[in-house]
Amino acid sequence: MTPDVQTPFPEGSVAALLERLGTRSIVFVGLMGAGKTAIGRKVAQALGLGFIDSDHEIESVSRMSIPELFERYGEVEFRALEQRVIGRVLENGPQVLSTGGGAFMNAQTRAAISGHGVSVWLKAELDLLMERVSKKQNRPLLQNADPRAVLSKLMDERYPVYGLADLTVATRDDRKEAIASEVIEALCNHLGVPGRIHVSEAPEDHE
């Protein structure tokens, strides 16, 4: 562990959580803008686990960006590639994995996550999602004259399926450490680990 990264809670609690987790991965699901990558990194750091973003992994494997993959091959082919990449990544747990917004909609991907991980849905309100996604132009599904309507429709379609995740944690405009602490607390409750685990705020956060 590098000198500037400190375990912010009792070692025994982390050990107990990791023991119960076993070889499973902690898998974040949810819509774009929910904070899966930012919160996932915090949880991984706090638990001393590796972190993988499935979109980054797909880009690395294909040597193309997500928008380029969508444009060249279409969403159906992209989802098939996404399913294969996530399935392969899940064989290397324990780790923290952040997935793309549409990944959990695929039944085979859901089954793989269920078999090799504990899924965490970061549930966010529409206004928060819009505020976040409007800052980035790399969202293929939002290349539309009315992105808010598209995002609202995606919420209607996907939230019932996201609700199948093992855990649901409401996210909001708050410190990443606060949301990460709530995720870890939900994991402890789910896995039967006693005690409360808190994620401390780093002096400087460069994420």
Side-chain angles (χ1 to χ4, degrees):
M1 184 174 288
T2 55
D4 60 332
V5 178
Q6 298 181 355
T7 304
F9 41 78
E11 202 50 57
S13 297
V14 180
L17 176 55
L18 294 179
E19 182 180 358
R20 295 289 177 87
L21 187 64
T23 60
R24 290 176 291 177
S25 296
I26 299 166
V27 184
F28 283 89
V29 304
L31 270 184
M32 60 190 86
K36 293 167 295 193
T37 297
I39 303 304
R41 286 187 188 279
K42 283 292 180 187
V43 170
Q45 181 185 44
L47 299 179
L49 294 173
F51 174 81
I52 294 180
D53 182 304
S54 67
D55 280 353
H56 293 169
E57 195 73 6
I58 290 166
E59 290 179 336
S60 176
V61 167
S62 65
R63 298 188 178 183
M64 297 175 67
S65 69
I66 300 299
E68 287 171 340
L69 285 166
F70 262 78
E71 184 176 355
R72 181 171 298 187
Y73 299 109
E75 185 173 1
V76 173
E77 284 299 314
F78 172 78
R79 297 303 175 195
L81 172 60
E82 181 178 54
Q83 177 189 332
R84 292 194 298 273
V85 169
I86 290 176
R88 176 177 56 79
V89 169
L90 285 169
E91 295 175 0
N92 302 316
Q95 65 204 329
V96 177
L97 171 63
S98 167
T99 63
F104 205 63
M105 301 300 291
N106 181 297
Q108 288 83 5
T109 301
R110 283 201 307 278
I113 292 172
S114 177
H116 298 276
V118 177
S119 51
V120 181
W121 172 25
L122 283 183
K123 184 177 183 181
E125 298 296 331
L126 179 58
D127 287 343
L128 176 65
L129 295 175
M130 276 304 301
E131 179 185 345
R132 290 178 175 175
V133 301
S134 63
K135 298 174 183 176
K136 296 185 178 181
Q137 303 302 315
N138 62 340
R139 311 286 190 179
L141 295 181
L142 296 183
Q143 301 305 309
N144 180 281
D146 190 355
R148 186 181 181 89
V150 173
L151 199 53
S152 179
K153 185 171 184 291
L154 286 173
M155 291 174 72
D156 291 341
E157 294 172 351
R158 294 180 177 181
Y159 274 26
V161 179
Y162 291 156
L164 299 174
D166 296 312
L167 305 171
T168 298
V169 176
T171 188
R172 56 196 180 279
D173 188 14
D174 199 347
R175 295 180 304 106
K176 287 175 282 189
E177 292 82 8
I179 307 300
S181 291
E182 291 173 12
V183 169
I184 293 175
E185 182 178 359
L187 284 165
C188 286
N189 291 336
H190 179 71
L191 297 173
V193 178
R196 184 179 180 85
I197 297 176
H198 177 69
V199 177
S200 297
E201 185 171 3
E204 284 190 54
D205 194 339
H206 298 288
E207 291 181 30

